[in-house]
Amino acid sequence: FSSLTPVFIAIICVLIGVIMKKTNGEKEKRDTKSKHPSRPWVDEDLKDGTDHPLEEEEGDEEWQGLDENVAHVPFTGERYSEAEMIKRSQTFYELLNKRRSVRFLSDEPVPREVIDNVIRTAGTSPSGAHTEPWTFVVVQDPDLKHKIREIVEEEEEINYKKRMGDRWVNDLKRLRTNWIKEYLDTAPYLILIFKQVYGRLPNGKKKTHYYNEISVSIACGILLAALQV
Amino acid sequence: FSSLTPVFIAIICVLIGVIMKKTNGEKEKRDTKSKHPSRPWVDEDLKDGTDHPLEEEEGDEEWQGLDENVAHVPFTGERYSEAEMIKRSQTFYELLNKRRSVRFLSDEPVPREVIDNVIRTAGTSPSGAHTEPWTFVVVQDPDLKHKIREIVEEEEEINYKKRMGDRWVNDLKRLRTNWIKEYLDTAPYLILIFKQVYGRLPNGKKKTHYYNEISVSIACGILLAALQV
């Protein structure tokens, strides 16, 4: 089990916080345009914010201004024997099964290169129309980490006391969690994960990020796997 | 690169389809209860369907009827040297970076044990309040695979022609995708991924699944990593 445990638990919390925060903004936007007739599926696909920034943008003929003539990279698949596949899948399961969502963390330093590799790995994740709607921010500075902790704790306290409701708080009791997040100070790094609800084209126009919430969450899964490895 | 490529590309498509389909049902429910006053964040957290099934349920004192006296499993962390961590993270990045979202698949058989290990690995994923809101369904029967393909293609054709709108279809042009999914017949297995918007307690009451969309998507990320390994 790697010493990355501290980092990845911090990630989960920050991730959830960030996603919560960002979707909040979108909600308000969505509320203001709910008069449009409902289209099945697509309205739902857009509920993660895919739709809201698009007023500003025109329907370009080419792919939102990006070059369509990308070089074709031939795909070559390497194959393992059946016995090898079974062995690899079993070993990987055993490794990932050691992960725990702990709330106590080690302050042991981790090489920055490892964090970079892990984020690079998360960046290989698939995403809606290959828009890669994620931003990873690594925080190492103790003061900045502490400020982030203060913001998170302040919001989390309001969550527990007001926003989540009795049942939710009750459900969490069993996990013995609360709004105090000491580990945000302890962890050598915090990886903040931001969901980009839209991008920018070279011409300054907004670029749609389809399925951005699902895409970012899948990338987080791959990030967790990379941390565990 | 493993011969699992066929399987995991099928997964992505099916996953997206399933999530699209399921969220649609929730939308309708949500629409009928939008008179409630808005609570910041939590309303958003619940937009993935966490909230809708709860009318039926009462706020239990214990954790929704589940036993709180779970044995404590001590956590022991194994550690690697810094050099080892760097090497492992680099190797894992190189491996995962070989994944491509291809639309042509091999029909080469894959041992069922590998699929089971991969799904088991996805099941180690973290989830909101540890609710594990996912169901994985493995389909191997050619007729059933073909029926799934027909359903997916039928819905996808409507997506392309009516639901997604001109811009979205235009954005996908560059990726040269369409609603024909031959690979759903070709792949030796399809893994259908269902999001459980709620669970059932032993007493038959509904159990809240917090952050179910994010949780399922993270599990899919881990599934993809396991397939790639």
Side-chain angles (χ1 to χ4, degrees), chain A residues 112-123 223 226, chain B residues 85-94:
Chain A
R112 173 60 195 247
E113 199 177 335
V114 173
I115 303 295
D116 292 343
N117 281 335
V118 159
I119 291 173
R120 229 173 265 144
T121 308
L223 184 87
Chain B
M85 275 194 264
I86 292 173
K87 197 181 136 214
R88 289 176 73 98
S89 62
Q90 177 69 24
T91 306
F92 192 67
Y93 164 64
E94 284 163 13

Side-chain angles (χ1 to χ4, degrees), chain A residues 20 155-165, chain B residues 41:
Chain A
M20 284 162 82
E155 293 294 339
E156 274 284 85
E157 188 170 356
I158 304 176
N159 281 343
Y160 274 81
K161 292 188 173 167
K162 295 186 185 166
R163 292 183 185 128
M164 301 198 301
Chain B
W41 282 27

Side-chain angles (χ1 to χ4, degrees), chain B residues 81-147:
Chain B
S81 71
E82 295 208 344
E84 182 72 11
M85 275 194 264
I86 292 173
K87 197 181 136 214
R88 289 176 73 98
S89 62
Q90 177 69 24
T91 306
F92 192 67
Y93 164 64
E94 284 163 13
L95 175 66
L96 262 72
N97 195 34
K98 289 178 185 162
R99 193 194 53 74
R100 294 290 177 271
S101 293
V102 296
R103 273 90 185 172
F104 55 94
L105 299 180
S106 161
D107 60 356
E108 194 181 314
V110 171
R112 174 61 196 247
E113 199 177 337
V114 173
I115 304 296
D116 291 343
N117 281 334
V118 159
I119 291 173
R120 229 173 264 144
T121 307
T124 70
S125 178
S127 59
H130 196 49
T131 49
E132 303 179 308
W134 42 65
T135 304
F136 298 93
V137 176
V138 179
V139 177
Q140 187 172 9
D141 177 70
D143 293 338
L144 196 49
K145 283 195 294 178
H146 191 69
K147 276 182 196 153

Side-chain angles (χ1 to χ4, degrees), chain A residues 47-69:
Chain A
K47 91 188 153 124
D48 61 359
T50 298
D51 206 21
H52 88 255
L54 298 174
E55 306 81 31
E56 188 181 301
E57 188 195 359
E58 293 148 42
D60 293 351
E61 273 309 294
E62 68 243 275
W63 194 67
Q64 300 196 342
L66 294 181
D67 185 12
E68 203 172 330
N69 301 313

Side-chain angles (χ1 to χ4, degrees), chain A residues 44-222:
Chain A
E44 276 311 303
D45 307 340
L46 297 177
K47 91 188 153 124
D48 61 359
T50 298
D51 206 21
H52 88 255
L54 298 174
E55 306 81 31
E56 188 181 301
E57 188 195 359
E58 293 148 42
D60 293 351
E61 273 309 294
E62 68 243 275
W63 194 67
Q64 300 196 342
L66 294 181
D67 185 12
E68 203 172 330
N69 301 313
V70 190
H72 179 76
V73 182
F75 174 78
T76 46
E78 196 184 300
R79 295 179 189 275
Y80 308 121
S81 71
E82 295 208 344
E84 183 73 11
M85 275 195 260
I86 293 174
K87 198 181 136 213
R88 289 177 72 99
S89 62
Q90 177 70 25
T91 306
F92 191 66
Y93 164 64
E94 283 162 14
L95 175 66
L96 262 71
N97 194 34
K98 290 180 184 159
R99 193 194 53 74
R100 293 289 177 272
S101 293
V102 296
R103 274 89 186 173
F104 56 91
L105 300 179
S106 161
D107 60 356
E108 193 181 312
V110 171
R112 173 60 195 247
E113 199 177 335
V114 173
I115 303 295
D116 292 343
N117 281 335
V118 159
I119 291 173
R120 229 173 265 144
T121 308
T124 69
S125 180
S127 57
H130 196 48
T131 49
E132 303 179 310
W134 41 67
T135 305
F136 297 93
V137 175
V138 179
V139 177
Q140 187 171 11
D141 178 68
D143 293 338
L144 196 48
K145 284 195 292 176
H146 191 68
K147 275 181 197 155
I148 291 167
R149 175 183 165 184
E150 284 174 350
I151 294 168
V152 170
E153 288 187 344
E154 193 181 319
E155 293 294 339
E156 274 284 85
E157 188 170 356
I158 304 176
N159 281 343
Y160 274 81
K161 292 188 173 167
K162 295 186 185 166
R163 292 183 185 128
M164 301 198 301
D166 289 345
R167 192 186 52 246
W168 195 334
V169 171
N170 201 43
D171 284 1
L172 285 174
K173 232 187 239 164
R174 177 169 161 271
L175 301 173
R176 286 159 209 158
T177 62
N178 60 26
W179 57 86
I180 307 296
K181 317 277 181 195
E182 275 154 11
Y183 50 79
L184 295 178
D185 277 328
T186 318
Y189 297 97
L190 301 181
I191 305 178
L192 313 189
I193 298 154
F194 292 88
K195 174 178 90 172
Q196 304 169 357
V197 295
Y198 59 86
R200 286 283 177 191
L201 292 166
N203 63 11
K205 284 186 189 169
K206 285 181 178 176
K207 172 169 154 267
T208 319
H209 282 177
Y210 303 103
Y211 298 111
N212 55 64
E213 179 140 322
I214 292 175
S215 302
V216 173
S217 302
I218 292 175
C220 290
I222 292 179

Side-chain angles (χ1 to χ4, degrees), chain B:
Chain B
F1 201 54
S2 93
S3 63
L4 285 167
T5 314
V7 190
F8 71 66
I9 185 63
I11 284 167
I12 302 178
C13 303
V14 173
L15 159 70
I16 291 174
V18 167
I19 288 186
M20 284 163 83
K21 211 151 192 175
K22 304 217 88 174
T23 48
N24 188 28
E26 293 149 32
K27 173 71 183 296
E28 288 156 26
K29 296 264 190 174
R30 254 200 329 283
D31 282 349
T32 65
K33 59 174 178 69
S34 51
K35 311 111 208 168
H36 297 306
S38 157
R39 284 176 301 157
W41 282 27
V42 170
D43 285 335
E44 276 312 304
D45 307 340
L46 297 178
K47 93 188 150 120
D48 61 0
T50 299
D51 208 20
H52 88 256
L54 299 174
E55 307 81 31
E56 187 183 304
E57 187 194 0
E58 293 147 42
D60 294 351
E61 271 309 294
E62 66 244 276
W63 194 68
Q64 299 195 342
L66 293 183
D67 185 13
E68 204 171 330
N69 301 312
V70 191
H72 179 75
V73 182
F75 175 78
T76 47
E78 195 184 301
R79 293 177 190 277
Y80 308 120
S81 71
E82 295 208 344
E84 182 72 11
M85 275 194 264
I86 292 173
K87 197 181 136 214
R88 289 176 73 98
S89 62
Q90 177 69 24
T91 306
F92 192 67
Y93 164 64
E94 284 163 13
L95 175 66
L96 262 72
N97 195 34
K98 289 178 185 162
R99 193 194 53 74
R100 294 290 177 271
S101 293
V102 296
R103 273 90 185 172
F104 55 94
L105 299 180
S106 161
D107 60 356
E108 194 181 314
V110 171
R112 174 61 196 247
E113 199 177 337
V114 173
I115 304 296
D116 291 343
N117 281 334
V118 159
I119 291 173
R120 229 173 264 144
T121 307
T124 70
S125 178
S127 59
H130 196 49
T131 49
E132 303 179 308
W134 42 65
T135 304
F136 298 93
V137 176
V138 179
V139 177
Q140 187 172 9
D141 177 70
D143 293 338
L144 196 49
K145 283 195 294 178
H146 191 69
K147 276 182 196 153
I148 291 166
R149 176 183 164 184
E150 284 174 350
I151 294 168
V152 170
E153 288 186 344
E154 193 182 318
E155 294 293 338
E156 275 284 85
E157 188 171 355
I158 304 176
N159 282 343
Y160 273 82
K161 294 188 171 167
K162 296 186 183 164
R163 294 184 184 125
M164 301 197 303
D166 290 345
R167 192 187 50 247
W168 195 334
V169 171
N170 201 42
D171 285 0
L172 285 175
K173 232 186 240 165
R174 173 169 162 272
L175 302 174
R176 287 160 207 157
T177 62
N178 60 27
W179 58 86
I180 307 297
K181 318 277 179 194
E182 277 154 10
Y183 50 79
L184 295 179
D185 277 328
T186 318
Y189 296 97
L190 302 180
I191 305 178
L192 313 189
I193 299 154
F194 293 87
K195 173 177 90 173
Q196 305 169 355
V197 297
Y198 59 86
R200 285 283 177 190
L201 293 166
N203 63 13
K205 283 185 186 170
K206 285 180 178 176
K207 173 168 153 264
T208 319
H209 282 176
Y210 303 102
Y211 297 112
N212 54 66
E213 180 140 326
I214 292 174
S215 302
V216 173
S217 302
I218 292 175
C220 290
I222 293 179
L223 185 88
L224 288 174
L227 284 167
Q228 185 66 19
V229 166

